[in-house]
Each structure stands twice: as C-alpha cells, then as structure tokens.
C-alpha cells in the first residue's frame, strides 16, 4: 500500500504549480466526464453536427477561462473536476524493450500505425520516416539511392534499426538500407528519438526505429492481399501477402517487386523483397518463432550532375534468418531469447574501373528477462553477443578489406512507479569489444501525469556511445585506423497536454546532445577525423487533432542547431527549421483523402562542384492521395508526389524527383 503522505505530497505540489501558473479553477476538457461524442459508424460526416460539437467543446474551455478571469472566489469555492476514467493508453515496446504505456517511458516516441501507412499509400520506410518530428531524411537523388536518417542532428549511423526487436546489421558505412526497406507485411513502426544505447548498445545515440511486422497468431481465418501500382517514371509495383493460423501454428508472409526508370541516364532501379515469419505455440507459456527477410536490388548510380557516371551500377543482396523463443516462466517472470544471422553482398562498378565486391556476415544472440515483483515495479536484464565478419575484393581480385569485430554487452533496467502517476526509470549497460575500448552507458528518466490537467511531464538524462563504422576504419585510401569511439551526453524535457476530451494533443520537447570525438569526413585529408566536440540542441513542437473518426490532422515543427564546436561550423544536411503536416479526411464512408507537407529551411551542404561547405537550397514538397473502397474486398487509389513540381536537391548534385502521379488497386480475400 502506498503511504498516505505520498498522495498528500503530490496533491499539494500539483496545487502549488497550478497556482503559480494561474490555473486556479481551470476546467480542462480532457477531464470532463460528460464530454459529448460523435455517434460511431457514421457513413457520411455530418458537418453541421461536427461543427456544433466543436463549438460545445470550445465553450467548455472559454467558460472556465472567463470564470477564472472575472471571479475572485477562492479555489475551495470551485466545483470538483472529474478526471477521464476511460482513457485507453497507447502501449509501446521500443522505449523500454517491453510493453509499457507510452506516457510512462520518459522518452519521446512516435508511433506510425498500419492504418496511417495504408491511408497515405506509402511503400518505403524512408517515405514514412519523413513525417516524424526531429528526423531529417536525406536521399541522394531518386528512390533507391543512398538514404540517411538524422535524428535530432546526430549522425546517420547514430540511429539504430531493429525489426521486431531484433537488431539489424548496419552497412559498411554504419547506416542502414532505408532506401531498400519496403513496408510489406509491416504492422506498425515505433520511433524513439531519445538516446537508447543503454538498452540496445552501440549506434543508438539518436534513438531507435523499430519496425513491427504483421503476424498471423490468433486470426480466426487466413487473410490474403494482392496489390498493383503504376505511374510516372515507368514505375510498377506488385505485392502479395498472406497470414493466418491453424491450431497452434501461425504464419505471415509478404513479397513485392518494384521497377522504375528515373530521369537522367543510368538511373533505373529494381527491387525484389520478401519478409516472412512462422510460429508455434508449444504450450500456454512457451512460444517459438522463426523470422526471415530477403531483398535484392539492382540499379544505376548516375553520380552527380557535375560528375555523371554513365555506367556505374550498384547491386545489393541481403538475407537474414532469426529463430526465437518466448517463455513465461511464472506469472511474474518472462524470458526471451533469439539468434539472428544476416548476410550482405554488395557489388559496385564505375567508369574508372572499380569493381568492388563486399561481403558481410553477422551472428547475434540476444537474451532478455523481465521480472515484475510488486505491481508497481519491473526489472529487466539482458545479455547480447555480436560477431561481424567483413571482406571486400577489388577488381584485381585482391582482398583489400578483411576484418572481424566481436562485442558482448549486458544491461539492467528498473521501471518503478512509487505513485500511480509517477514513473522512475534507471538503467545501466556495459559493453566490451575486440576492436574498441569498453563502454559504459546509462539513462535516468522520470515521467509524471499531472492530476486534473492530465498533462504528461517527462525528462531523462543519459550517456551513450557509437564506435567508428567499418568503412571509417578499413576502406582503402579513405580510412583512419586511429579513430576513437564517439561519446554522447544528452538530456530532454517534454510536455504533452491533452485538450478537448483528448481529441487535441499538444506537445513540446526541449533536447540537447553533447558529443565528444564526433567523426566527420574531412575534404582536406579525404579521411574521417574525430572533432573535439559537437552539440545538437533544439525544440520539437507538435499538435494532433482528431475531433471525430472522419477527420484527423497533425502539424509539427522542429528547430535545430547542430554545430561542430571545434571549428564553429554547422553540421551539414540538418535543417535549422523543419515542418511537417499530415491530414486524413473521410468525406464519405468509402472514400479516404490524405495530404501532407514537408518544409525544410536553412540547411548547409558540401557543394558538389567545389567541395566547399555552404548554404543549401530550401525546399517544400506536397503530397496527396485518394483511395476508394469499391466494395469490401476491392480498393482503388491515386496519389501524387511533389505536387508543386518543385525542382530541388536534398543532397547537392543529386536532383530529387519532380511531379509524379501513381494509381493502384488492392484485392483482399
């Protein structure tokens, strides 16, 4: 039983804070127990009624505000405020590596649901990530070309990619193949922008992207889907998927083929992708599964518009398999273990005679245990092992890269709620490597849901790290074997405020990362170098409004300062100002309309001609889609990208696509 003084303490602290803020007697709509709701199952949006509802909700805000401004009555004279009792909290996994309410993770998490993906008709992971606040998705030209993701100004290899909680193997450069990762068989995506090395090890300074796939477990009958899309730039995409369960056995599989011939010579692209899983429920407490993925790409590499290459090409082949076991040992203890093996092959050829064949093979074992002692406390502990082999052969048949890296790490995390509205998270990790010094990372966080206002105030402070990439260490002629690991100290403070009976949510996050020994490529020595210190800091603001099931919109803005403190230079390709806007409308039951905007302002880049850092162009892109359910099992859609036909380049010298229009159909059975 929680001590009575704790309840009294938090009540008094909250009352004091509200008095300081001038909120005495303020009736927040999120706490109104009798807020009106639209009837469910509307076939057509009743706009007058929706407007009337919004008017009623606004009056619930304005009336208490007027009373606060005009009345001199003490707080004790105000009526009691009822709190929301039917709130359904969003459950996330990535921030704590086990299911937890999002507002109790003391971290900034964005969830992209399958419903959102389907509505916007997007197909690649890179496209979806463009809508996440704080992320800058940088694509070197057209789809299929090298794509980087900068989270809150950190490096592209500072954000870790996992699939179903299983860590993916990075490329030679340290990043991931975002440009080749499709959304076939994907159920949802969780993006954690808080530093997460303490739970996931190296390369999570900027956070974690967790792609969660569809499963067939528990389905009453199998589900199958076939889609086709075609459009501008001779693009064609076909997908097929199926999932279901038979007794204790379940399965899920999705495959796709994509072809395109983009503008500029030598700029075609082909992608074949497959993702599958199988599972078996041995008993009520033991479940085993096997997950696998494969993709193959073949495309031209046209180079920059200043130095084009008419014959350069890049082929990639990546395959992985990962068996796992989940065992509920007792009602309070769950144990999970999985093994992952991944192989990467890459061949690059160009007009200067290069013909490099790169092979990478990784083995990983991850074991995690979650113990719930009392109801308000959870302890998690895990061990991880990773072994990576790298080999590259040049055009002469000489092996110019041959390396092996091995690492072992372990973490402990405490998730404690001393009060039903307060959560404390404390974690620590130790990693040891064959090629780098050992590293210690940690994180301490606090989350507090404030009574009456239902505001969520959270913050955390952490230390994380990232070792040099294999390319930085081993690539012939452009490597630096003396590089040191990057060390980062970061913190963030965030506030989420629900309004209008939780139909409107406002949020603000203030963050900072101090990075020692940040690795940057020098165009003086043409090798990577450690710089003394870098700082990334800024503010993320967002508003999400869903007044009824037929309408929802979200607007976000990020202000970012990312500096090389040693040389007083901005870090390239990070917009100082970035805004995203997404809206979904269902004017009638069978029709869904979406629109989106991305605006990036005040960037710097390395000029493709002079190799000198300078201002890069601003850009604004618009996209829209419309989908119509002809019947229960058949849907048609049309979507447009870069609707203003803007001519721009995210990376200097690599033009992005102009206006594109695409149409498709989907059959489910």
């Amino acid at each position: 039983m929680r001590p009575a003084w704790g309840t009294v303490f938090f009540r008094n602290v909250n009352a004091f804070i509200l008095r300081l803020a001038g909120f005495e007697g303020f009736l927040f709509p999120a706490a109104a127990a009798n807020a009106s709701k639209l009837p469910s199952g509307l076939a057509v949006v009743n706009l007058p009624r929706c407007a009337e509802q919004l008017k009623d909700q606004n009056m619930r805000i304005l009336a208490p505000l007027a009373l606060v401004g005009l009345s001199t009555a003490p707080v004790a004279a105000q009526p009691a405020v009822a709190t929301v009792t039917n709130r359904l909290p969003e459950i996330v996994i990535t921030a704590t590596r086990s299911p937890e309410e999002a507002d109790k993770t003391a971290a900034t998490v964005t969830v992209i649901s399958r419903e959102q993906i389907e509505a916007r008709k997007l197909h690649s992971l890179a496209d979806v990530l463009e809508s996440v606040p704080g992320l800058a998705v940088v694509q070197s030209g057209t789809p299929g070309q090298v794509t980087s993701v900068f989270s809150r100004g950190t490096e592209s290899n500072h954000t870790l990619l996992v699939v179903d909680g299983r860590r993916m193997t990075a490329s030679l450069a340290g990043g991931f193949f975002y440009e080749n990762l499709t959304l076939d068989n994907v159920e949802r995506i969780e993006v954690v922008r808080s530093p997460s090395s303490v739970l996931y090890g190296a390369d999570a300074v900027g956070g974690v992207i967790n792609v969660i796939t569809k499963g067939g477990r528990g389905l009453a009958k199998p589900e199958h889907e076939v889609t086709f899309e075609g459009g501008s730039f001779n693009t064609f995409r076909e997908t097929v998927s199926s999932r279901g369960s038979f007794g204790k056995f379940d399965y899920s599989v999705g495959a796709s083929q994509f072809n395109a011939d983009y503008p500029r010579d030598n700029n075609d692209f082909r992608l074949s992708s497959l993702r599958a899983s199988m599972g078996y429920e041995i008993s009520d407490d033991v479940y085993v599964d096997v997950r696998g993925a494969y993709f193959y790409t073949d495309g031209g590499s046209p180079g920059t518009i200043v130095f084009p290459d008419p014959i350069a090409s890049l082929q990639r082949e990546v395959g992985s398999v990962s068996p796992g076991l989940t065992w509920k040992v007792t009602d309070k203890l769950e144990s999970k273990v999985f093994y992952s093996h991944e192989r990467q092959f890459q061949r690059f050829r160009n007009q200067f005679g290069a013909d490099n064949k790169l092979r990478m093979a990784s083995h990983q074992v991850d074991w995690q245990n979650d113990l719930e002692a009392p109801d308000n406390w959870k302890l998690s502990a895990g061990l991880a092992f990773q072994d990576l082999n790298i080999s590259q052969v040049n055009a002469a048949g000489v092996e110019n890269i041959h390396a092996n890296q091995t690492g072992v790490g372990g973490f402990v995390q405490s998730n404690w709620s001393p009060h039903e509205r307060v959560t404390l998270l404390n974690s620590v990790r130790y990693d040891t490597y064959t090629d780098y010094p050992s590293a210690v990372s940690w994180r301490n966080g606090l989350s507090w849901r404030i009574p009456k206002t239902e505001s969520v105030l959270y913050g955390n402070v952490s230390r994380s790290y990232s070792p040099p990439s294999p390319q930085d260490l081993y690539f012939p002629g452009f490597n630096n074997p003396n590089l040191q690991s990057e060390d980062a100290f970061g913190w963030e403070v965030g506030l989420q405020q629900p309004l209008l009976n939780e139909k409107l949510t406002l949020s603000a996050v203030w963050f900072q990362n101090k990075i020692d020994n940040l690795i940057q490529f020098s165009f003086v020595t043409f090798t990577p170098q450690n710089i003394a210190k870098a700082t990334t800091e800024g503010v993320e603001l967002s508003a999400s409004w869903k007044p009824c099931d037929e309408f929802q919109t979200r607007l976000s803005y990020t202000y970012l300062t990312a500096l090389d403190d040693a040389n007083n230079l901005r870090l390239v390709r990070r917009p100082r100002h970035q805004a995203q806007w997404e809206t979904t409308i269902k004017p009638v039951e069978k029709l869904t309309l979406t629109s989106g905007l991305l605006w990036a302002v005040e960037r710097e880049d390395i000029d493709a001609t002079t190799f000198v850092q300078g201002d890069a162009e601003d850009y604004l892109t618009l996209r829209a889609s419309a989908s119509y359910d002809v019947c229960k099992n058949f849907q048609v859609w049309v979507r447009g990208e870069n609707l203003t036909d803007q001519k721009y380049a995210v990376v200097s010298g690599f033009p992005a696509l102009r206006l594109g229009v695409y149409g498709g159909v989907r059959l489910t059975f």
Side-chain angles (χ1 to χ4, degrees), residues 14-167:
N14 179 53
F16 177 69
I17 293 175
L18 290 176
R19 285 195 188 94
L20 287 178
F23 288 148
E24 291 180 316
F26 190 96
L27 177 62
F28 274 72
N34 60 348
S36 61
K37 296 182 179 180
L38 282 175
S40 59
L42 286 179
V44 179
V45 178
N46 190 330
L47 294 179
R49 184 169 185 174
C50 191
E52 181 181 352
Q53 181 192 41
L54 294 177
K55 179 180 178 181
D56 290 343
Q57 291 174 344
N58 289 335
M59 288 303 297
R60 290 190 182 95
I61 297 179
L62 295 175
L65 281 174
L67 291 174
V68 171
L70 299 175
S71 175
T72 58
V75 176
Q78 302 294 336
V81 179
T83 59
V84 173
T85 58
N86 60 345
R87 184 179 64 88
L88 296 177
E90 185 170 41
I91 304 299
V92 297
I93 301 172
T94 315
T96 57
R97 289 190 51 149
S98 61
E100 183 59 272
E101 295 180 22
D103 56 24
K104 293 184 177 181
T105 62
T108 307
V109 186
T110 296
V111 177
I112 304 168
S113 67
R114 185 67 202 181
E115 181 183 14
Q116 293 171 310
I117 295 172
E118 289 286 356
R120 295 161 60 190
K121 297 305 175 189
L122 300 179
H123 303 290
S124 76
L125 180 59
D127 288 340
V128 167
L129 295 178
E130 282 188 342
S131 66
V132 178
L135 294 191
V137 179
V138 178
Q139 185 171 269
S140 300
T142 55
Q145 301 298 327
V146 176
T147 301
S148 302
V149 175
F150 299 96
S151 177
R152 291 180 171 175
T154 59
E155 285 296 304
S156 59
N157 62 331
H158 286 169
T159 299
L160 183 66
L161 176 67
V162 299
V163 176
D164 294 322
R166 289 147 157 94
R167 179 189 180 107

Side-chain angles (χ1 to χ4, degrees), residues 114 183-187 212-214 241-242 252-254 275-276:
R114 185 67 202 181
L183 300 176
D184 306 332
N185 229 30
V186 171
E187 180 65 31
I212 301 171
T213 62
K214 291 181 178 180
S241 66
S242 177
S252 181
V253 60
R275 183 178 287 116

Side-chain angles (χ1 to χ4, degrees), residues 5 24 93 120 185 202 214 248 306 325 425 440 521 568 626 650 668:
W5 63 264
E24 291 180 316
I93 301 172
R120 295 161 60 190
N185 229 30
K214 291 181 178 180
K248 296 185 177 182
V306 181
L325 179 146
L425 290 105
V440 175
F521 188 82
N568 195 29
V650 181
T668 59

